[in-house]
Amino acid sequence: MKKIIVGIVLVSILFSCKDAKETKTEKIIGVSKKTIVKDSVQEKEVVSEEEFKNDFDILLARSYRSYGEENPAVALTKKWIDLYEQNGEYYLGKADFKIEKGFDECSGDSLVSVLAKNKSIIFMDLPDLKLGKIKSLKIEEDKIWPDEKVTFTFNNVNYTLRGEGKVLSSEMVSTDDNTEEVFKKVENYKLYLSTGNTAEKLLLSEESFNDTFVKLIFAGDIDNDGKLDFVFSANRHYEEERVILFLSSKAKSGETMKRVSEIAVGFDC
């Protein structure tokens, strides 16, 4: 009788341990599964927030590589607007250009070149812009290095650009007009903008550059709203031409201006 009782107790203990083990295992799997789903959703949300989509397209007066049947230059029409410089003044006019086709040895595909009649800064697919001469500022300092500030005054409002980042090295380099200037190798760069009535906001940022840096190539009123707009050259390496357009009329509440379009063209071989 004792043996029977002992046997029953042992069996009960074994089943209890087995149930407890299975219950514990199911609980761990459930928590693990929930965590994975949560992480994957969060990661997707972060990626979507970082994606930038142009409000409208811009193009440069340059050559573009074809990839099969696709080439960005074919989108350009006479309805686009050309921001161009003439004798130190800036104008908006209907795009005046011609197209030449060639062959690119590096890509092994065709090449389409946009040849502008004027000294074009950018072509914009924004036909509603008012044509003619526009107000602009003379840019004395086109690079805002880390720990430097540049202030522009436009229609009695001060616009201050401030640079942040880590300077790895500094040297004197020759420019295209045979003068010398300081060039700095920078990483983790951030450019901030503040005005007389708005708090400082991050305008653009780059983790690193390869023999390049951010350069302000235009400051003026493109959209005719009485406020300043910017065009930056922001090549990330020496085999890329990248331009970013900021317009004040597209700014959200509390902002001075908004990045509305950018184009990046690689010409590596």
Side-chain angles (χ1 to χ4, degrees), residues 164-184:
E164 277 188 7
K166 183 178 181 181
V167 178
L168 303 178
S169 62
S170 179
E171 62 180 328
M172 298 299 295
V173 296
S174 298
T175 63
D176 293 336
D177 56 0
N178 295 321
T179 60
E180 286 194 337
E181 66 176 15
V182 175
F183 180 80
K184 301 178 182 181

mmCIF file of all heavy atoms in Angstrom, residues 164-184:
data_model
loop_
_atom_site.group_PDB
_atom_site.id
_atom_site.type_symbol
_atom_site.label_atom_id
_atom_site.label_comp_id
_atom_site.label_asym_id
_atom_site.label_seq_id
_atom_site.Cartn_x
_atom_site.Cartn_y
_atom_site.Cartn_z
ATOM 1 N N GLU A 164 27.937 73.450 -36.713
ATOM 2 C CA GLU A 164 28.453 72.572 -35.655
ATOM 3 C C GLU A 164 29.113 71.366 -36.305
ATOM 4 O O GLU A 164 28.744 70.967 -37.415
ATOM 5 C CB GLU A 164 27.329 72.080 -34.737
ATOM 6 C CG GLU A 164 26.927 73.018 -33.635
ATOM 7 C CD GLU A 164 25.950 72.370 -32.658
ATOM 8 O OE1 GLU A 164 25.705 71.148 -32.797
ATOM 9 O OE2 GLU A 164 25.444 73.069 -31.777
ATOM 10 N N GLY A 165 30.071 70.764 -35.606
ATOM 11 C CA GLY A 165 30.704 69.556 -36.125
ATOM 12 C C GLY A 165 32.104 69.392 -35.583
ATOM 13 O O GLY A 165 32.600 70.226 -34.825
ATOM 14 N N LYS A 166 32.745 68.325 -36.005
ATOM 15 C CA LYS A 166 34.111 68.032 -35.570
ATOM 16 C C LYS A 166 35.076 68.280 -36.723
ATOM 17 O O LYS A 166 34.938 67.698 -37.802
ATOM 18 C CB LYS A 166 34.222 66.578 -35.108
ATOM 19 C CG LYS A 166 35.591 66.203 -34.572
ATOM 20 C CD LYS A 166 35.613 64.760 -34.075
ATOM 21 C CE LYS A 166 36.990 64.394 -33.508
ATOM 22 N NZ LYS A 166 37.025 62.982 -33.034
ATOM 23 N N VAL A 167 36.045 69.161 -36.508
ATOM 24 C CA VAL A 167 37.066 69.456 -37.513
ATOM 25 C C VAL A 167 38.228 68.488 -37.324
ATOM 26 O O VAL A 167 38.889 68.488 -36.291
ATOM 27 C CB VAL A 167 37.558 70.914 -37.417
ATOM 28 C CG1 VAL A 167 38.658 71.171 -38.435
ATOM 29 C CG2 VAL A 167 36.390 71.886 -37.631
ATOM 30 N N LEU A 168 38.476 67.671 -38.341
ATOM 31 C CA LEU A 168 39.543 66.663 -38.258
ATOM 32 C C LEU A 168 40.893 67.221 -38.698
ATOM 33 O O LEU A 168 41.935 66.830 -38.174
ATOM 34 C CB LEU A 168 39.180 65.451 -39.121
ATOM 35 C CG LEU A 168 37.844 64.766 -38.802
ATOM 36 C CD1 LEU A 168 37.601 63.614 -39.766
ATOM 37 C CD2 LEU A 168 37.822 64.268 -37.355
ATOM 38 N N SER A 169 40.863 68.135 -39.676
ATOM 39 C CA SER A 169 42.112 68.739 -40.156
ATOM 40 C C SER A 169 41.788 70.023 -40.901
ATOM 41 O O SER A 169 40.634 70.287 -41.261
ATOM 42 C CB SER A 169 42.875 67.777 -41.080
ATOM 43 O OG SER A 169 42.106 67.478 -42.233
ATOM 44 N N SER A 170 42.828 70.831 -41.139
ATOM 45 C CA SER A 170 42.651 72.101 -41.823
ATOM 46 C C SER A 170 43.881 72.380 -42.678
ATOM 47 O O SER A 170 45.013 72.112 -42.258
ATOM 48 C CB SER A 170 42.439 73.225 -40.805
ATOM 49 O OG SER A 170 42.280 74.460 -41.441
ATOM 50 N N GLU A 171 43.650 72.916 -43.890
ATOM 51 C CA GLU A 171 44.766 73.218 -44.782
ATOM 52 C C GLU A 171 44.383 74.323 -45.762
ATOM 53 O O GLU A 171 43.199 74.624 -45.954
ATOM 54 C CB GLU A 171 45.177 71.962 -45.557
ATOM 55 C CG GLU A 171 44.069 71.406 -46.453
ATOM 56 C CD GLU A 171 44.511 70.170 -47.208
ATOM 57 O OE1 GLU A 171 45.709 70.077 -47.537
ATOM 58 O OE2 GLU A 171 43.661 69.312 -47.480
ATOM 59 N N MET A 172 45.382 74.915 -46.389
ATOM 60 C CA MET A 172 45.154 75.917 -47.422
ATOM 61 C C MET A 172 45.111 75.217 -48.774
ATOM 62 O O MET A 172 45.959 74.384 -49.085
ATOM 63 C CB MET A 172 46.262 76.973 -47.410
ATOM 64 C CG MET A 172 46.354 77.779 -46.118
ATOM 65 S SD MET A 172 44.843 78.727 -45.766
ATOM 66 C CE MET A 172 44.828 79.880 -47.141
ATOM 67 N N VAL A 173 44.100 75.573 -49.580
ATOM 68 C CA VAL A 173 43.955 74.958 -50.898
ATOM 69 C C VAL A 173 43.773 76.047 -51.945
ATOM 70 O O VAL A 173 43.345 77.169 -51.643
ATOM 71 C CB VAL A 173 42.759 73.990 -50.943
ATOM 72 C CG1 VAL A 173 42.979 72.825 -49.988
ATOM 73 C CG2 VAL A 173 41.459 74.712 -50.634
ATOM 74 N N SER A 174 44.082 75.724 -53.205
ATOM 75 C CA SER A 174 43.902 76.658 -54.313
ATOM 76 C C SER A 174 42.491 76.541 -54.862
ATOM 77 O O SER A 174 41.939 75.446 -54.970
ATOM 78 C CB SER A 174 44.914 76.362 -55.427
ATOM 79 O OG SER A 174 46.236 76.537 -54.948
ATOM 80 N N THR A 175 41.905 77.676 -55.231
ATOM 81 C CA THR A 175 40.565 77.703 -55.795
ATOM 82 C C THR A 175 40.634 77.820 -57.313
ATOM 83 O O THR A 175 41.719 77.937 -57.896
ATOM 84 C CB THR A 175 39.760 78.886 -55.225
ATOM 85 O OG1 THR A 175 40.398 80.106 -55.613
ATOM 86 C CG2 THR A 175 39.709 78.809 -53.703
ATOM 87 N N ASP A 176 39.458 77.811 -57.956
ATOM 88 C CA ASP A 176 39.415 77.880 -59.416
ATOM 89 C C ASP A 176 39.921 79.218 -59.941
ATOM 90 O O ASP A 176 40.394 79.298 -61.080
ATOM 91 C CB ASP A 176 37.980 77.651 -59.906
ATOM 92 C CG ASP A 176 37.507 76.230 -59.619
ATOM 93 O OD1 ASP A 176 38.374 75.339 -59.485
ATOM 94 O OD2 ASP A 176 36.274 76.013 -59.512
ATOM 95 N N ASP A 177 39.814 80.273 -59.147
ATOM 96 C CA ASP A 177 40.286 81.588 -59.602
ATOM 97 C C ASP A 177 41.716 81.889 -59.118
ATOM 98 O O ASP A 177 42.120 83.049 -58.983
ATOM 99 C CB ASP A 177 39.333 82.692 -59.148
ATOM 100 C CG ASP A 177 39.132 82.696 -57.632
ATOM 101 O OD1 ASP A 177 39.732 81.846 -56.951
ATOM 102 O OD2 ASP A 177 38.368 83.544 -57.144
ATOM 103 N N ASN A 178 42.470 80.823 -58.839
ATOM 104 C CA ASN A 178 43.891 80.928 -58.482
ATOM 105 C C ASN A 178 44.151 81.679 -57.183
ATOM 106 O O ASN A 178 45.202 82.284 -56.998
ATOM 107 C CB ASN A 178 44.685 81.572 -59.626
ATOM 108 C CG ASN A 178 44.692 80.721 -60.878
ATOM 109 O OD1 ASN A 178 44.783 79.491 -60.800
ATOM 110 N ND2 ASN A 178 44.581 81.350 -62.035
ATOM 111 N N THR A 179 43.200 81.657 -56.287
ATOM 112 C CA THR A 179 43.419 82.199 -54.940
ATOM 113 C C THR A 179 43.487 81.034 -53.960
ATOM 114 O O THR A 179 43.247 79.882 -54.329
ATOM 115 C CB THR A 179 42.275 83.153 -54.538
ATOM 116 O OG1 THR A 179 41.025 82.422 -54.544
ATOM 117 C CG2 THR A 179 42.176 84.320 -55.496
ATOM 118 N N GLU A 180 43.844 81.344 -52.727
ATOM 119 C CA GLU A 180 43.922 80.300 -51.712
ATOM 120 C C GLU A 180 42.888 80.541 -50.620
ATOM 121 O O GLU A 180 42.560 81.690 -50.292
ATOM 122 C CB GLU A 180 45.331 80.249 -51.093
ATOM 123 C CG GLU A 180 46.375 79.645 -52.012
ATOM 124 C CD GLU A 180 47.656 79.302 -51.263
ATOM 125 O OE1 GLU A 180 47.889 79.903 -50.191
ATOM 126 O OE2 GLU A 180 48.409 78.437 -51.737
ATOM 127 N N GLU A 181 42.353 79.462 -50.074
ATOM 128 C CA GLU A 181 41.392 79.555 -48.992
ATOM 129 C C GLU A 181 41.563 78.363 -48.054
ATOM 130 O O GLU A 181 42.197 77.365 -48.402
ATOM 131 C CB GLU A 181 39.959 79.595 -49.521
ATOM 132 C CG GLU A 181 39.517 78.309 -50.200
ATOM 133 C CD GLU A 181 38.060 78.349 -50.633
ATOM 134 O OE1 GLU A 181 37.471 79.445 -50.667
ATOM 135 O OE2 GLU A 181 37.508 77.271 -50.936
ATOM 136 N N VAL A 182 40.984 78.480 -46.875
ATOM 137 C CA VAL A 182 41.062 77.403 -45.895
ATOM 138 C C VAL A 182 40.052 76.317 -46.246
ATOM 139 O O VAL A 182 38.904 76.608 -46.590
ATOM 140 C CB VAL A 182 40.771 77.932 -44.474
ATOM 141 C CG1 VAL A 182 40.721 76.787 -43.470
ATOM 142 C CG2 VAL A 182 41.827 78.948 -44.068
ATOM 143 N N PHE A 183 40.495 75.081 -46.184
ATOM 144 C CA PHE A 183 39.585 73.948 -46.325
ATOM 145 C C PHE A 183 39.741 73.040 -45.112
ATOM 146 O O PHE A 183 40.857 72.727 -44.699
ATOM 147 C CB PHE A 183 39.853 73.144 -47.603
ATOM 148 C CG PHE A 183 38.913 71.975 -47.758
ATOM 149 C CD1 PHE A 183 37.630 72.174 -48.252
ATOM 150 C CD2 PHE A 183 39.297 70.697 -47.379
ATOM 151 C CE1 PHE A 183 36.746 71.103 -48.377
ATOM 152 C CE2 PHE A 183 38.422 69.633 -47.502
ATOM 153 C CZ PHE A 183 37.143 69.839 -48.002
ATOM 154 N N LYS A 184 38.598 72.627 -44.558
ATOM 155 C CA LYS A 184 38.617 71.793 -43.360
ATOM 156 C C LYS A 184 37.930 70.452 -43.629
ATOM 157 O O LYS A 184 36.903 70.405 -44.309
ATOM 158 C CB LYS A 184 37.906 72.506 -42.203
ATOM 159 C CG LYS A 184 38.535 73.849 -41.838
ATOM 160 C CD LYS A 184 37.767 74.549 -40.727
ATOM 161 C CE LYS A 184 38.383 75.910 -40.422
ATOM 162 N NZ LYS A 184 37.682 76.626 -39.331
#
